mmCIF file of all heavy atoms in Angstrom:
data_model
loop_
_atom_site.group_PDB
_atom_site.id
_atom_site.type_symbol
_atom_site.label_atom_id
_atom_site.label_comp_id
_atom_site.label_asym_id
_atom_site.label_seq_id
_atom_site.Cartn_x
_atom_site.Cartn_y
_atom_site.Cartn_z
ATOM 1 N N THR H 1 -33.361 15.519 124.243
ATOM 2 C CA THR H 1 -33.478 15.951 122.862
ATOM 3 C C THR H 1 -34.406 15.095 121.992
ATOM 4 O O THR H 1 -34.825 15.549 120.910
ATOM 5 C CB THR H 1 -32.073 15.926 122.160
ATOM 6 O OG1 THR H 1 -31.665 14.526 122.054
ATOM 7 C CG2 THR H 1 -31.096 16.720 123.024
ATOM 8 N N GLY H 2 -34.646 13.837 122.403
ATOM 9 C CA GLY H 2 -35.552 12.996 121.574
ATOM 10 C C GLY H 2 -34.704 12.264 120.537
ATOM 11 O O GLY H 2 -35.246 11.416 119.802
ATOM 12 N N GLU H 3 -33.418 12.547 120.394
ATOM 13 C CA GLU H 3 -32.561 11.915 119.430
ATOM 14 C C GLU H 3 -31.917 10.658 120.022
ATOM 15 O O GLU H 3 -31.301 10.701 121.072
ATOM 16 C CB GLU H 3 -31.484 12.845 118.996
ATOM 17 C CG GLU H 3 -31.975 14.079 118.251
ATOM 18 C CD GLU H 3 -32.618 13.777 116.881
ATOM 19 O OE1 GLU H 3 -32.208 12.800 116.260
ATOM 20 O OE2 GLU H 3 -33.531 14.450 116.486
ATOM 21 N N SER H 4 -32.107 9.516 119.325
ATOM 22 C CA SER H 4 -31.617 8.254 119.892
ATOM 23 C C SER H 4 -30.113 8.084 119.706
ATOM 24 O O SER H 4 -29.515 7.336 120.511
ATOM 25 C CB SER H 4 -32.292 7.081 119.125
ATOM 26 O OG SER H 4 -32.054 7.164 117.741
ATOM 27 N N ALA H 5 -29.471 8.724 118.739
ATOM 28 C CA ALA H 5 -28.060 8.611 118.587
ATOM 29 C C ALA H 5 -27.281 9.255 119.729
ATOM 30 O O ALA H 5 -27.547 10.394 120.085
ATOM 31 C CB ALA H 5 -27.620 9.194 117.269
ATOM 32 N N PRO H 6 -26.330 8.529 120.372
ATOM 33 C CA PRO H 6 -25.549 9.103 121.453
ATOM 34 C C PRO H 6 -24.549 10.130 120.942
ATOM 35 O O PRO H 6 -24.300 10.191 119.735
ATOM 36 C CB PRO H 6 -24.783 7.899 122.022
ATOM 37 C CG PRO H 6 -24.688 6.907 120.908
ATOM 38 C CD PRO H 6 -25.970 7.089 120.094
ATOM 39 N N VAL H 7 -24.142 10.997 121.853
ATOM 40 C CA VAL H 7 -23.190 12.071 121.481
ATOM 41 C C VAL H 7 -21.920 11.933 122.366
ATOM 42 O O VAL H 7 -21.964 11.291 123.385
ATOM 43 C CB VAL H 7 -23.771 13.444 121.654
ATOM 44 C CG1 VAL H 7 -24.956 13.672 120.711
ATOM 45 C CG2 VAL H 7 -24.241 13.641 123.118
ATOM 46 N N ILE H 8 -20.827 12.455 121.894
ATOM 47 C CA ILE H 8 -19.576 12.364 122.640
ATOM 48 C C ILE H 8 -19.408 13.646 123.449
ATOM 49 O O ILE H 8 -19.573 14.745 122.996
ATOM 50 C CB ILE H 8 -18.349 12.242 121.656
ATOM 51 C CG1 ILE H 8 -18.550 10.933 120.838
ATOM 52 C CG2 ILE H 8 -17.086 12.132 122.442
ATOM 53 C CD1 ILE H 8 -18.592 9.643 121.649
ATOM 54 N N ARG H 9 -19.111 13.461 124.695
ATOM 55 C CA ARG H 9 -18.804 14.562 125.623
ATOM 56 C C ARG H 9 -17.425 14.317 126.261
ATOM 57 O O ARG H 9 -17.180 13.219 126.712
ATOM 58 C CB ARG H 9 -19.914 14.665 126.712
ATOM 59 C CG ARG H 9 -21.274 15.085 126.160
ATOM 60 C CD ARG H 9 -21.272 16.509 125.786
ATOM 61 N NE ARG H 9 -22.523 17.018 125.277
ATOM 62 C CZ ARG H 9 -22.811 17.061 124.019
ATOM 63 N NH1 ARG H 9 -21.955 16.766 123.091
ATOM 64 N NH2 ARG H 9 -24.021 17.489 123.616
ATOM 65 N N GLY H 10 -16.669 15.383 126.305
ATOM 66 C CA GLY H 10 -15.323 15.196 126.920
ATOM 67 C C GLY H 10 -14.816 16.550 127.415
ATOM 68 O O GLY H 10 -15.398 17.629 127.169
ATOM 69 N N ALA H 11 -13.657 16.503 128.147
ATOM 70 C CA ALA H 11 -13.077 17.718 128.728
ATOM 71 C C ALA H 11 -12.522 18.630 127.666
ATOM 72 O O ALA H 11 -11.986 18.144 126.634
ATOM 73 C CB ALA H 11 -11.950 17.261 129.682
ATOM 74 N N GLY H 12 -12.712 19.923 127.863
ATOM 75 C CA GLY H 12 -12.142 20.902 126.945
ATOM 76 C C GLY H 12 -12.998 21.051 125.667
ATOM 77 O O GLY H 12 -13.916 20.222 125.399
ATOM 78 N N GLY H 13 -12.793 22.105 124.937
ATOM 79 C CA GLY H 13 -13.477 22.290 123.702
ATOM 80 C C GLY H 13 -14.927 22.711 123.862
ATOM 81 O O GLY H 13 -15.369 23.137 124.941
ATOM 82 N N ASP H 14 -15.694 22.632 122.777
ATOM 83 C CA ASP H 14 -17.079 23.074 122.720
ATOM 84 C C ASP H 14 -18.100 22.005 123.030
ATOM 85 O O ASP H 14 -19.290 22.178 122.870
ATOM 86 C CB ASP H 14 -17.395 23.752 121.409
ATOM 87 C CG ASP H 14 -16.676 25.010 121.224
ATOM 88 O OD1 ASP H 14 -16.232 25.570 122.184
ATOM 89 O OD2 ASP H 14 -16.615 25.535 120.070
ATOM 90 N N PHE H 15 -17.633 20.788 123.436
ATOM 91 C CA PHE H 15 -18.547 19.696 123.667
ATOM 92 C C PHE H 15 -18.306 19.112 125.039
ATOM 93 O O PHE H 15 -18.244 17.855 125.188
ATOM 94 C CB PHE H 15 -18.409 18.631 122.597
ATOM 95 C CG PHE H 15 -18.761 19.143 121.188
ATOM 96 C CD1 PHE H 15 -17.780 19.624 120.311
ATOM 97 C CD2 PHE H 15 -20.080 19.244 120.789
ATOM 98 C CE1 PHE H 15 -18.092 20.149 119.087
ATOM 99 C CE2 PHE H 15 -20.402 19.766 119.543
ATOM 100 C CZ PHE H 15 -19.406 20.164 118.711
ATOM 101 N N SER H 16 -18.135 19.971 126.029
ATOM 102 C CA SER H 16 -17.831 19.530 127.356
ATOM 103 C C SER H 16 -19.076 19.691 128.265
ATOM 104 O O SER H 16 -19.039 19.291 129.450
ATOM 105 C CB SER H 16 -16.695 20.342 127.961
ATOM 106 O OG SER H 16 -16.987 21.722 127.976
ATOM 107 N N SER H 17 -20.143 20.225 127.773
ATOM 108 C CA SER H 17 -21.330 20.459 128.608
ATOM 109 C C SER H 17 -22.171 19.196 128.718
ATOM 110 O O SER H 17 -22.462 18.561 127.684
ATOM 111 C CB SER H 17 -22.144 21.631 127.967
ATOM 112 O OG SER H 17 -23.381 21.763 128.629
ATOM 113 N N VAL H 18 -22.621 18.861 129.890
ATOM 114 C CA VAL H 18 -23.510 17.737 130.132
ATOM 115 C C VAL H 18 -24.749 18.214 130.859
ATOM 116 O O VAL H 18 -24.713 19.200 131.569
ATOM 117 C CB VAL H 18 -22.849 16.604 130.920
ATOM 118 C CG1 VAL H 18 -21.753 15.944 130.032
ATOM 119 C CG2 VAL H 18 -22.233 17.041 132.216
ATOM 120 N N THR H 19 -25.848 17.494 130.677
ATOM 121 C CA THR H 19 -27.109 17.927 131.244
ATOM 122 C C THR H 19 -27.694 16.845 132.210
ATOM 123 O O THR H 19 -27.607 15.663 131.942
ATOM 124 C CB THR H 19 -28.159 18.122 130.092
ATOM 125 O OG1 THR H 19 -27.632 19.046 129.179
ATOM 126 C CG2 THR H 19 -29.455 18.653 130.598
ATOM 127 N N ALA H 20 -28.266 17.334 133.293
ATOM 128 C CA ALA H 20 -28.862 16.485 134.287
ATOM 129 C C ALA H 20 -29.912 15.576 133.653
ATOM 130 O O ALA H 20 -30.748 16.019 132.836
ATOM 131 C CB ALA H 20 -29.483 17.269 135.419
ATOM 132 N N GLY H 21 -29.985 14.289 134.026
ATOM 133 C CA GLY H 21 -30.967 13.326 133.524
ATOM 134 C C GLY H 21 -30.535 12.570 132.310
ATOM 135 O O GLY H 21 -31.203 11.621 131.899
ATOM 136 N N THR H 22 -29.397 12.974 131.693
ATOM 137 C CA THR H 22 -28.892 12.205 130.579
ATOM 138 C C THR H 22 -28.065 11.066 131.092
ATOM 139 O O THR H 22 -27.575 11.080 132.214
ATOM 140 C CB THR H 22 -28.091 13.055 129.564
ATOM 141 O OG1 THR H 22 -26.998 13.689 130.299
ATOM 142 C CG2 THR H 22 -28.977 14.184 129.007
ATOM 143 N N LYS H 23 -27.797 10.080 130.239
ATOM 144 C CA LYS H 23 -27.166 8.826 130.695
ATOM 145 C C LYS H 23 -25.752 8.603 130.048
ATOM 146 O O LYS H 23 -25.646 8.700 128.833
ATOM 147 C CB LYS H 23 -28.071 7.619 130.386
ATOM 148 C CG LYS H 23 -27.564 6.300 130.962
ATOM 149 C CD LYS H 23 -28.557 5.188 130.668
ATOM 150 C CE LYS H 23 -28.117 3.832 131.321
ATOM 151 N NZ LYS H 23 -29.144 2.810 131.093
ATOM 152 N N LEU H 24 -24.785 8.329 130.838
ATOM 153 C CA LEU H 24 -23.430 8.064 130.321
ATOM 154 C C LEU H 24 -23.398 6.575 129.944
ATOM 155 O O LEU H 24 -23.639 5.690 130.757
ATOM 156 C CB LEU H 24 -22.374 8.309 131.424
ATOM 157 C CG LEU H 24 -20.922 8.117 131.038
ATOM 158 C CD1 LEU H 24 -20.537 9.027 129.860
ATOM 159 C CD2 LEU H 24 -20.016 8.274 132.187
ATOM 160 N N LEU H 25 -23.098 6.350 128.675
ATOM 161 C CA LEU H 25 -23.077 4.996 128.131
ATOM 162 C C LEU H 25 -21.709 4.308 128.186
ATOM 163 O O LEU H 25 -21.680 3.085 128.223
ATOM 164 C CB LEU H 25 -23.537 5.003 126.673
ATOM 165 C CG LEU H 25 -24.946 5.617 126.417
ATOM 166 C CD1 LEU H 25 -25.224 5.613 124.919
ATOM 167 C CD2 LEU H 25 -26.005 4.804 127.148
ATOM 168 N N SER H 26 -20.655 5.096 128.230
ATOM 169 C CA SER H 26 -19.314 4.479 128.254
ATOM 170 C C SER H 26 -18.326 5.294 129.093
ATOM 171 O O SER H 26 -18.548 6.483 129.299
ATOM 172 C CB SER H 26 -18.814 4.326 126.826
ATOM 173 O OG SER H 26 -18.512 5.637 126.285
ATOM 174 N N ASP H 27 -17.279 4.616 129.531
ATOM 175 C CA ASP H 27 -16.148 5.325 130.178
ATOM 176 C C ASP H 27 -16.574 5.971 131.477
ATOM 177 O O ASP H 27 -17.598 5.580 132.087
ATOM 178 C CB ASP H 27 -15.476 6.320 129.214
ATOM 179 C CG ASP H 27 -15.066 5.622 127.929
ATOM 180 O OD1 ASP H 27 -14.052 4.886 128.001
ATOM 181 O OD2 ASP H 27 -15.737 5.867 126.874
ATOM 182 N N GLU H 28 -15.841 7.009 131.907
ATOM 183 C CA GLU H 28 -16.066 7.701 133.142
ATOM 184 C C GLU H 28 -15.781 9.152 132.937
ATOM 185 O O GLU H 28 -14.868 9.531 132.267
ATOM 186 C CB GLU H 28 -15.154 7.142 134.213
ATOM 187 C CG GLU H 28 -15.255 7.795 135.609
ATOM 188 C CD GLU H 28 -14.370 7.223 136.612
ATOM 189 O OE1 GLU H 28 -14.655 6.122 137.050
ATOM 190 O OE2 GLU H 28 -13.344 7.903 136.988
ATOM 191 N N LEU H 29 -16.624 10.015 133.605
ATOM 192 C CA LEU H 29 -16.413 11.420 133.526
ATOM 193 C C LEU H 29 -16.326 12.028 134.911
ATOM 194 O O LEU H 29 -17.025 11.598 135.783
ATOM 195 C CB LEU H 29 -17.614 12.049 132.786
ATOM 196 C CG LEU H 29 -17.911 11.655 131.335
ATOM 197 C CD1 LEU H 29 -19.179 12.375 130.851
ATOM 198 C CD2 LEU H 29 -16.744 11.931 130.460
ATOM 199 N N ILE H 30 -15.454 13.003 135.030
ATOM 200 C CA ILE H 30 -15.424 13.830 136.224
ATOM 201 C C ILE H 30 -16.003 15.235 135.825
ATOM 202 O O ILE H 30 -15.546 15.884 134.879
ATOM 203 C CB ILE H 30 -13.978 14.042 136.748
ATOM 204 C CG1 ILE H 30 -13.293 12.713 136.974
ATOM 205 C CG2 ILE H 30 -13.947 14.926 138.007
ATOM 206 C CD1 ILE H 30 -14.002 11.858 137.971
ATOM 207 N N VAL H 31 -17.085 15.596 136.549
ATOM 208 C CA VAL H 31 -17.897 16.750 136.144
ATOM 209 C C VAL H 31 -17.949 17.788 137.248
ATOM 210 O O VAL H 31 -18.084 17.406 138.440
ATOM 211 C CB VAL H 31 -19.317 16.259 135.729
ATOM 212 C CG1 VAL H 31 -20.164 17.482 135.379
ATOM 213 C CG2 VAL H 31 -19.293 15.261 134.641
ATOM 214 N N ARG H 32 -17.777 19.011 136.840
ATOM 215 C CA ARG H 32 -18.025 20.146 137.818
ATOM 216 C C ARG H 32 -19.423 20.649 137.652
ATOM 217 O O ARG H 32 -19.859 21.044 136.543
ATOM 218 C CB ARG H 32 -17.027 21.288 137.586
ATOM 219 C CG ARG H 32 -17.249 22.423 138.559
ATOM 220 C CD ARG H 32 -16.258 23.606 138.437
ATOM 221 N NE ARG H 32 -16.375 24.201 137.095
ATOM 222 C CZ ARG H 32 -15.408 24.305 136.195
ATOM 223 N NH1 ARG H 32 -14.211 23.818 136.490
ATOM 224 N NH2 ARG H 32 -15.583 24.849 135.003
ATOM 225 N N VAL H 33 -20.192 20.691 138.729
ATOM 226 C CA VAL H 33 -21.627 21.131 138.728
ATOM 227 C C VAL H 33 -21.666 22.610 138.465
ATOM 228 O O VAL H 33 -20.968 23.425 139.099
ATOM 229 C CB VAL H 33 -22.325 20.757 140.017
ATOM 230 C CG1 VAL H 33 -23.740 21.258 140.035
ATOM 231 C CG2 VAL H 33 -22.279 19.257 140.253
ATOM 232 N N THR H 34 -22.567 23.011 137.546
ATOM 233 C CA THR H 34 -22.653 24.455 137.145
ATOM 234 C C THR H 34 -23.979 25.025 137.485
ATOM 235 O O THR H 34 -24.257 26.196 137.173
ATOM 236 C CB THR H 34 -22.387 24.583 135.637
ATOM 237 O OG1 THR H 34 -23.319 23.784 134.917
ATOM 238 C CG2 THR H 34 -21.014 24.217 135.243
ATOM 239 N N ALA H 35 -24.898 24.284 138.206
ATOM 240 C CA ALA H 35 -26.176 24.867 138.572
ATOM 241 C C ALA H 35 -26.574 24.342 139.931
ATOM 242 O O ALA H 35 -26.316 23.201 140.281
ATOM 243 C CB ALA H 35 -27.219 24.447 137.499
ATOM 244 N N ASN H 36 -27.268 25.137 140.708
ATOM 245 C CA ASN H 36 -27.859 24.744 141.985
ATOM 246 C C ASN H 36 -29.151 24.026 141.748
ATOM 247 O O ASN H 36 -29.790 24.097 140.677
ATOM 248 C CB ASN H 36 -28.093 25.965 142.843
ATOM 249 C CG ASN H 36 -26.809 26.599 143.320
ATOM 250 O OD1 ASN H 36 -25.840 25.938 143.711
ATOM 251 N ND2 ASN H 36 -26.718 27.945 143.322
ATOM 252 N N PRO H 37 -29.606 23.256 142.773
ATOM 253 C CA PRO H 37 -30.897 22.542 142.610
ATOM 254 C C PRO H 37 -32.024 23.535 142.203
ATOM 255 O O PRO H 37 -32.142 24.614 142.785
ATOM 256 C CB PRO H 37 -31.137 21.957 144.011
ATOM 257 C CG PRO H 37 -29.737 21.762 144.601
ATOM 258 C CD PRO H 37 -28.986 22.910 144.038
ATOM 259 N N GLY H 38 -32.888 23.069 141.348
ATOM 260 C CA GLY H 38 -33.969 23.928 140.862
ATOM 261 C C GLY H 38 -33.591 24.920 139.805
ATOM 262 O O GLY H 38 -34.494 25.621 139.232
ATOM 263 N N GLU H 39 -32.291 24.971 139.475
ATOM 264 C CA GLU H 39 -31.822 25.914 138.479
ATOM 265 C C GLU H 39 -31.241 25.189 137.239
ATOM 266 O O GLU H 39 -30.640 25.802 136.378
ATOM 267 C CB GLU H 39 -30.751 26.859 139.099
ATOM 268 C CG GLU H 39 -31.225 27.672 140.220
ATOM 269 C CD GLU H 39 -30.079 28.464 140.841
ATOM 270 O OE1 GLU H 39 -28.908 28.305 140.375
ATOM 271 O OE2 GLU H 39 -30.339 29.264 141.754
ATOM 272 N N THR H 40 -31.392 23.895 137.173
ATOM 273 C CA THR H 40 -30.775 23.153 136.090
ATOM 274 C C THR H 40 -31.554 23.424 134.771
ATOM 275 O O THR H 40 -32.671 23.927 134.780
ATOM 276 C CB THR H 40 -30.792 21.627 136.330
ATOM 277 O OG1 THR H 40 -32.177 21.171 136.376
ATOM 278 C CG2 THR H 40 -30.130 21.295 137.708
ATOM 279 N N PHE H 41 -30.913 23.044 133.687
ATOM 280 C CA PHE H 41 -31.638 23.173 132.386
ATOM 281 C C PHE H 41 -32.887 22.454 132.365
ATOM 282 O O PHE H 41 -33.927 22.928 131.831
ATOM 283 C CB PHE H 41 -30.663 22.703 131.277
ATOM 284 C CG PHE H 41 -31.187 22.874 129.933
ATOM 285 C CD1 PHE H 41 -31.300 24.103 129.356
ATOM 286 C CD2 PHE H 41 -31.557 21.766 129.190
ATOM 287 C CE1 PHE H 41 -31.802 24.287 128.083
ATOM 288 C CE2 PHE H 41 -32.063 21.891 127.856
ATOM 289 C CZ PHE H 41 -32.189 23.162 127.347
ATOM 290 N N LEU H 42 -32.929 21.277 132.970
ATOM 291 C CA LEU H 42 -34.121 20.457 132.981
ATOM 292 C C LEU H 42 -35.245 21.131 133.752
ATOM 293 O O LEU H 42 -36.432 21.092 133.349
ATOM 294 C CB LEU H 42 -33.850 19.070 133.550
ATOM 295 C CG LEU H 42 -34.889 17.960 133.377
ATOM 296 C CD1 LEU H 42 -35.206 17.771 131.918
ATOM 297 C CD2 LEU H 42 -34.430 16.686 134.008
#
C-alpha cells in the first residue's frame, strides 16, 4: 500500500484478510491460504 503505519489483522470480522509479501510485526497468526500460486493479489 505504501502506507508506513501498520494495521491490525485478526480472526473473524472484516479485517481478517492478509496479503502475500506483507510482514507480521507482532504475535502469531494461523492463516488459511485462499489463492493458488500465480493467482495471488500480488
Side-chain angles (χ1 to χ4, degrees):
T1 67
E3 296 294 329
S4 57
V7 296
I8 301 299
R9 292 287 181 263
D14 289 345
F15 298 95
S16 60
S17 172
V18 292
T19 305
T22 58
K23 186 176 184 179
L24 181 63
L25 300 178
S26 68
D27 304 287
E28 178 180 288
L29 299 178
I30 304 299
V31 178
R32 181 178 62 236
V33 177
T34 56
N36 290 319
E39 299 175 355
T40 67
F41 182 70
L42 192 58

